[in-house]
Structures are given as structure tokens and as C-alpha cells.
Amino acid sequence: MQLTKYKVCNFKSVRDSGWIECNDVTTLVGVNEAGKSNLLLALWKLNPVTGGEIDVLHDAPVSKLTDIRTTQETVPFVTASFEVSDGDMEAITTELGFRITPIKNIEVTRYFDGHYDVTYQDKFPDIVIEEDEDSEPENDDISDEDESSEAILEQSTLDKIVIKLLPKFVYYSNYGNLSTRLYLPHVTKWLKGETVEGIVKNHEQIRTINVLFKFVNLKPDEIRDLGRDPKDIVAARYGYSNRTNYQPTADDIQQAQKAKEERTILLQSAGNKLTREFADWWKQGNYKFRFDADGDYFTIWVSDEKRPDEVGLELRSTGLQWFISFFLIFLVESKYKHKDAILLLDEAGLTLHPKAQKDLCVFFNSLAKNNQIIHTTHSPFIVDTNNIDRCKVVYVDSEGYTVASANLRDSDDKLNEQSIYALHAALGLSVSDILLQGCKPIIVEGPSDQIYLTAIKQALIGAKKIAPKEDFIFMPSGGVKGISGVVSLLGGKQGKLPLVIVDSDKSGQDAKKKLSSGLYQDDKNSIIEIGNFKQIENAEIEDLIPLEYMEKGINKLFNDIDEDEETFEEFYESSKPLIPQIEQFAQNYSMELDKGWKVELAKSAKSRIVKAKEIESETLNLWKKLFDSFQTKDKKQR
């Protein structure tokens, strides 16, 4: 199942977060204390791989605790919407023993008492009656009721199967980083749930330690036992505390030697395994790990090709400590047992160097091929400016509650402006990248244009239609009026103006005239008009996208229209621009389109384009023609 959106309510600092749309990678951006972690923790407790117990005393908002603690069965704290795949439907069929009508989407809600509610899109599914094509009914008067299957589909049964198929959630924060040296007697107690006098429990770190020993496939007391001195073996055998009075036999010594050899080989094998598998993740260097046990101490040693001398993990960067600790959590909790787990990463990689933080964005995109990721950050280096549409701003509303919004301008006070600072800073950094690293800036009118063109770029590169020597960076200007300001910011040192893309509607035509008679009067070829590539009057960027990639987002806009009414697909005319038709269709049904609907439509289309296994050659050629013009205009400038 694919998580499409979720919302949190009645949980810690969150009264009602609002729906949070989820992509393959979703970034929650906000300042400290905005409540980002609470948005992850609630979702984790929907279906955690391990841990994640509901704790009403600490999970419910303090102001509502007295009410919630006595009505836990009626108070939900998280609702998530999932898209059901064909594979999920096959699994449901196997569990039921018969087929049902396809389920497209479900919503799962969890309550403070731990129980779930499942809601099915449109209506509860029906049993599919299997008919034998070769046989004919003996009596034409047999009613549908007589033909029904003997199978009975009870919602409680289907709900249990659906919940069983939900993806598991893995939560990880910086607080679970491993230490270099572990004292095994303490570890043994912690993993048994016991406390150690004088030491405060770090539950996150204990969880990581537990995962580490699962990876080694040994228990702390077993590691101690395998390394025991021969005299300890004799003392344990006879139960004497004074080990000096009893000498081990030759067999005792041989037994101890074999045990220590076994322990050395097992730890060496585990270290080699970690070294191999970690190399596929971490690209900041080739690291080698070695596990060692000496008496009651278990130590993690690290070396690399530049620094071959081994040192304890704790003496290496905190970034490496975070990465290795998270890697072990993911490896044990998700990769082997729950391949499709959804990863929830709280303030991921804040201890990494800024360059490594930027690499983390690339790593997330790679990891998301198999596992959806939702992560929080307040660092601009971890904001992927190529996928700014995947960011949600988290802030505190006027009543002190946590809210999440896809509107990156959704802020009306100083605290909220701080929440989106990381996004603005990230865009500023991308400008620096353009100026300092030789990227090609291309100014577009708005964020939806940026989203479409980024998706097209990724599709063309994936299809090997283009191999740009310098990356194309699409910079939204906030509308045609803002183009001049962005141009002044990005203008090259030798007076070279950046490319500008405008729609062929009235506002785009007016912007082109203004630029051509002013800033671009000596460089009119650097203004690219969409109408030159799509022969439709008043063409806009959306008209470069085939309807099949747009229809899911469009249908979402008109979900409330009755099934027996005309669909947009029936209303649509391919010879006319798309956006005015959407607006007209909404007007026909007296519907008001939500603010920012164009951006949401772009996000949906981008997701379909990026995930498409194959795109028609006619479409790819059209897109390639547009991107080739970027190079052509640049050559003319020179």
C-alpha cells in the first residue's frame, strides 16, 4: 500500500494538523518546538514495527487529558489514507478465499484505546460472483439473489486483513546513536527491561543497541560467556565465588579457547557484513567496521582508506554515528522483515557536514524507490530544491497548536515566518549553486511551472533523451510581475541574461512584450514562449502534459460531482488550453476551486510522470524540443 496522506489530531501539541499529502519523500519543515516530531510520532503509532506503544498520559494534549483518559475508545489520534495496489488485492483474495470488487483507497484511523476503524472509498466492496463461461443457466428466471455466493463478507473480517497488510512504520531520531564501547552487564539488564542504578535509561539508544545485537545474531550475555576465562568456567561450574582456589583442567582451557575463537569469528563475520552493506549507503568514504569483545566490554572500531588506524566509533564524526545507527535500525527493523516499511526520520542528518546533508537528499530519493520517507528538518541543506513541492511547512497557530500546510507562504506572524525560513534559505542556496557552480537558471512564472518542468527534465534524462552538461534550475518568480526582480538577482557577471519561459495566455503575452521592450530588448531570443511548442491558442505549460498524467489530479478537484453527471474527460477538448476548461467546468457545477489548486494539480502530474514506466515517444519528442531550445538560445547569446 502507498501512503497518500495523513492527519493527526488530539496528540501532544496537535489539535488538528490538517491533511498532510505524502510523496515518495515528504519533508516537514519548521523551527524547533513547532511540533514536527509529534506529527511523526503519531503516524508511527498507527502501525509501528517495534515499540510505539500508546501512552495516553504523555500522548494526549495536557488540556484534554482528563477527558481523553476516560473516553479513549472514542478519541482518534491519527488517520491515514492508503492507495491499495493490485498486489494488495491479490493478498486480500488469498486471505478471504474469494474475490471482491476492487478497493482503490482506504482510510485507517487509530484510537487511544488501540483499536482501528477502516473506511473504504465510496462504499464497502461486494463479493464477485465467479461465473462459468461454458455453462448456461438452467432457468432464465433465477434471480440475482439466488445466484449469490455462499461466501459472506463481514466488515470486521476484511478490516483485520487490511490492517494486517498495512505498511509498518520505522521511526528514528538522533537520540538513538550508538556509543563506541558498551558494558555488557548493563546492556543485558537494559534489554531485559531492567534499570541500572545511577544511570538514566535512554530508550532510543537501548533500541539501537538491541538492533545491533540482532545484527550480530548474539545476545550480550552469550558474548560474555564465549569470552570467559578458564577459571571463570570452573568457578561457574562448581558455584564457588573464589576462583583462585580452583585450577582449570586442560579440557577447560581448550573449551575456553574454542569459545573465544568462535566469538572472534562471529564478530569478524558481522563486522565484514556491516562493512559491505553500509558501503551501499554511505558515499562520504569507504569505511571498515570491526566488532570486538574484551571481557565485559563490546567495542565498535572504525577505519577508512584515508585513516587506516582504527578508532572507536564515538571518536568519529557524529554524522557517521547517526548514519551507522540509523542504518542498523533500518536494516533490522525494515529491510529484512518489512520491505515496504515507511521510514519516519526526525531531524535526519543535522550533525552531517552541509555537503553531506545535500547528499542526504539524493540518498533519500534512492532509498524511496523501495520505502516511502517522511522526514523533519529545519536545515536548508536538507531541503531538495528540485522537489520543493514535496515540502510541508509546520508551524504553531494563534492558539498554540501544531499545524502543517502545503502552502509554503502560509504564515502570518514572526514564528511562522521562521518556519519557512529554511525553505527560503534553500532557494537562496540554489541561487548560490547557480552562480558558483555553473548551473543554468531558467525563470518561470510560478511554482506549478517549476514542478512540471522539473518532472519533464527527470523524464527526459531517465529516457536518455537529454544529457545536459549543466543542470537546469527552474526558478519561480512569483508571477509575471516578479520576473524582472529575479532576473536582476541571477544576471550573469558579463551581462548574460537568464532564460525566461512564459505562457502564451494574455498575462504571458503582456509579460513578453514588457520584457522585450525593456530588460530583454537586446536579447529577445532568451524569452521562450510555450505557444511555440504547442499549437494551441493561449497555450500554457499544462498543455505540454498529456491528459493521462493530469486526470488523477483533475478528478480529485471534482470528487464531489455525482457519478451520473458529465465527467471532465467528456467535457475536455484537446484543441483548447486545459486550465480555462478546468475553471469553466468548475463554474458549470457552481464549484469554487481551492486556493493553490494549480500547484496541487502539478504535484499530482509530476508524481505520475516520474513513476511512468514508459512515456510515448511523441510526448518525449515534444519535451525534448523545448529543452533543446534552452541550449539553442544559449548558443545564440554567445
Side-chain angles (χ1 to χ4, degrees):
M1 292 188 194
Q2 179 89 0
L3 177 67
T4 56
K5 61 181 180 179
Y6 78 99
K7 66 177 178 179
V8 177
C9 55
N10 306 309
F11 189 87
K12 295 183 184 290
S13 66
V14 188
R15 179 172 60 183
D16 185 349
S17 66
W19 283 107
I20 302 171
E21 302 284 341
C22 297
N23 307 89
D24 291 342
V25 179
T26 303
T27 306
L28 304 180
V29 184
V31 297
N32 291 331
E33 301 299 319
K36 304 186 299 297
S37 299
N38 295 337
L39 297 178
L40 293 189
L41 288 169
L43 184 58
W44 176 44
K45 295 190 177 193
L46 178 73
N47 195 31
V49 171
T50 59
E53 293 81 8
I54 300 170
D55 179 0
V56 177
L57 182 62
H58 297 99
D59 290 343
V62 175
S63 61
K64 296 184 177 182
L65 178 59
T66 53
D67 293 330
I68 292 176
R69 65 193 294 266
T70 58
T71 58
Q72 298 179 36
E73 71 282 358
T74 65
V75 183
F77 66 88
V78 63
T79 298
S81 180
F82 297 90
E83 190 174 89
V84 181
S85 68
D86 293 339
D88 296 324
M89 287 305 303
E90 288 300 321
I92 291 172
T93 299
T94 301
E95 290 282 341
L96 288 173
F98 53 86
R99 292 192 175 277
I100 59 175
T101 52
I103 303 169
K104 295 181 179 179
N105 293 282
I106 59 169
E107 280 186 10
V108 180
T109 300
R110 196 168 196 196
Y111 293 73
F112 274 104
D113 70 340
H115 87 271
Y116 295 90
D117 270 351
V118 181
T119 304
Y120 301 87
Q121 185 189 46
D122 298 329
K123 64 177 183 177
F124 188 70
D126 298 317
I127 296 173
V128 174
I129 301 172
E130 304 287 353
E131 295 183 359
D132 188 346
E133 296 181 358
D134 297 329
S135 65
E136 300 209 1
E138 297 179 0
N139 187 344
D140 292 338
D141 296 329
I142 294 178
S143 66
D144 292 339
E145 184 177 351
D146 294 330
E147 290 182 347
S148 64
S149 169
E150 294 181 1
I152 298 175
L153 179 59
E154 295 183 351
Q155 179 158 350
S156 59
T157 300
L158 182 57
D159 288 355
K160 289 178 182 178
I161 295 171
V162 166
I163 292 167
K164 181 180 176 181
L165 292 173
L166 287 179
K168 294 287 187 177
F169 291 89
V170 175
Y171 172 82
Y172 188 74
S173 73
N174 290 338
Y175 302 111
N177 287 2
L178 284 169
S179 299
T180 296
R181 183 166 295 182
L182 304 174
Y183 185 57
L184 295 175
H186 288 175
V187 171
T188 300
K189 286 189 174 184
W190 286 330
L191 298 188
K192 289 180 179 179
E194 301 173 6
T195 59
V196 176
E197 187 177 351
I199 300 179
V200 179
K201 265 189 176 182
N202 181 335
H203 294 283
E204 290 288 339
Q205 193 172 62
I206 291 172
R207 173 189 178 206
T208 310
I209 291 171
N210 185 33
V211 163
L212 171 64
F213 282 100
K214 284 184 178 180
F215 179 82
V216 178
N217 201 25
L218 288 172
K219 296 179 180 179
D221 50 358
E222 289 178 326
I223 294 177
R224 291 178 65 199
D225 289 343
L226 286 173
R228 284 189 303 175
D229 186 273
K231 289 185 179 182
D232 292 325
I233 295 174
V234 176
R237 181 187 305 152
Y238 296 107
Y240 298 119
S241 59
N242 189 351
R243 61 199 285 273
T244 60
N245 295 333
Y246 302 92
Q247 297 300 318
T249 65
D251 288 340
D252 293 332
I253 294 172
Q254 186 176 15
Q255 178 187 343
Q257 287 175 339
K258 286 184 177 181
K260 286 189 176 184
E261 182 182 9
E262 178 184 357
R263 181 180 68 170
T264 299
I265 293 172
L266 288 171
L267 295 177
Q268 183 182 48
S269 175
N272 290 338
K273 176 184 175 184
L274 178 59
T275 297
R276 289 193 307 271
E277 300 200 24
F278 187 69
D280 293 333
W281 278 45
W282 182 265
K283 304 302 181 184
Q284 297 295 310
N286 295 319
Y287 290 88
K288 182 177 180 180
F289 298 94
R290 183 172 68 86
F291 297 135
D292 181 43
D294 182 10
D296 288 338
Y297 291 92
F298 180 91
T299 307
I300 306 171
W301 297 99
V302 187
S303 62
D304 63 69
E305 56 187 5
K306 293 184 178 179
R307 290 165 289 187
D309 295 330
E310 290 184 329
V311 298
L313 176 62
E314 212 165 44
L315 296 178
R316 300 305 293 255
S317 70
T318 51
L320 178 61
Q321 292 175 49
W322 176 87
F323 230 110
I324 188 63
S325 301
F326 163 59
F327 172 76
L328 286 166
I329 289 286
F330 171 76
L331 192 73
V332 173
E333 290 194 357
S334 65
K335 184 176 180 182
Y336 295 138
K337 293 184 179 180
H338 307 285
K339 181 182 177 184
D340 298 322
I342 297 174
L343 307 181
L344 310 176
L345 306 180
D346 200 359
E347 299 290 6
L350 285 183
T351 54
L352 299 177
H353 181 274
K355 177 62 170 65
Q357 286 188 10
K358 295 196 73 173
D359 289 344
L360 197 59
C361 294
V362 178
F363 166 72
F364 284 163
N365 290 330
S366 174
L367 195 60
K369 293 176 182 178
N370 296 314
N371 300 87
Q372 275 185 279
I373 296 174
I374 304 175
H375 70 101
T376 68
T377 190
H378 58 256
S379 169
F381 296 102
I382 302 180
V383 173
D384 185 356
T385 52
N386 274 330
N387 295 287
I388 204 77
D389 53 292
R390 302 191 305 202
C391 294
K392 312 293 183 288
V393 60
V394 179
Y395 60 93
V396 179
D397 67 13
S398 59
E399 296 182 51
Y401 291 104
T402 296
V403 178
S405 175
N407 182 358
L408 303 185
R409 296 178 181 272
D410 198 357
S411 60
D412 54 13
D413 59 37
K414 290 183 179 180
L415 175 61
N416 297 344
E417 289 173 1
Q418 291 172 17
S419 290
I420 60 172
Y421 173 78
L423 294 169
H424 291 173
L427 291 173
L429 289 169
S430 68
V431 171
S432 298
D433 288 342
I434 292 169
L435 297 177
L436 299 176
Q437 298 180 21
C439 297
K440 179 182 288 296
I442 301 175
I443 300 174
V444 296
E445 294 182 24
S448 57
D449 298 333
Q450 179 195 44
I451 293 168
Y452 287 121
L453 289 166
T454 300
I456 290 173
K457 177 182 71 172
Q458 292 175 356
L460 289 173
I461 292 174
K464 298 183 179 180
K465 291 290 185 178
I466 62 172
K469 294 181 180 179
E470 46 187 4
D471 193 15
F472 298 119
I473 303 295
F474 302 100
M475 303 295 298
S477 61
V480 292
K481 293 181 179 179
I483 291 177
S484 297
V486 178
V487 168
S488 64
L489 177 65
L490 297 179
K493 295 178 180 179
Q494 298 177 347
K496 179 179 171 183
L497 294 171
L499 301 178
V500 176
I501 298 178
V502 295
D503 292 329
S504 296
D505 59 0
K506 186 179 185 307
S507 62
Q509 291 283 352
D510 290 345
K512 182 179 179 180
K513 289 178 182 177
K514 185 176 181 180
L515 291 170
S516 297
S517 60
L519 203 57
Y520 281 77
Q521 61 181 335
D522 297 325
D523 198 2
K524 297 177 182 178
N525 287 328
S526 290
I527 304 173
I528 299 173
E529 187 181 339
I530 293 298
N532 294 335
F533 303 90
K534 189 70 174 180
Q535 302 306 311
I536 293 178
E537 187 177 358
N538 297 323
E540 301 177 57
I541 189 73
E542 287 85 356
D543 299 311
L544 299 178
I545 313 296
L547 187 64
E548 64 182 289
Y549 300 113
M550 306 287 284
E551 59 183 355
K552 185 175 181 178
I554 294 173
N555 291 338
K556 190 175 179 180
L557 294 173
F558 303 118
N559 261 343
D560 295 334
I561 295 179
D562 294 337
E563 292 182 1
D564 55 350
E565 299 286 354
E566 180 186 30
T567 65
F568 180 81
E569 190 175 1
E570 295 168 336
F571 174 83
Y572 173 69
E573 295 181 41
S574 59
S575 60
K576 297 180 179 179
L578 175 68
I579 295 300
Q581 291 188 73
I582 292 177
E583 293 170 335
Q584 183 60 53
F585 189 74
Q587 186 176 334
N588 291 350
Y589 287 94
S590 301
M591 292 183 62
E592 185 174 346
L593 295 169
D594 293 336
K595 182 180 179 181
W597 67 271
K598 290 183 182 180
V599 174
E600 294 305 315
L601 182 61
K603 291 179 184 178
S604 175
K606 179 186 176 185
S607 177
R608 300 289 296 274
I609 292 170
V610 171
K611 291 179 181 179
K613 294 182 179 179
E614 187 174 353
I615 297 175
E616 290 185 359
S617 57
E618 182 179 350
T619 298
L620 287 174
N621 290 336
L622 170 65
W623 292 347
K624 184 177 184 301
K625 183 180 177 183
L626 171 64
F627 272 66
D628 284 347
S629 73
F630 301 161
Q631 303 286 1
T632 303
K633 305 289 184 186
D634 189 47
K635 289 177 181 177
K636 286 183 178 180
Q637 279 187 332
R638 294 172 186 167

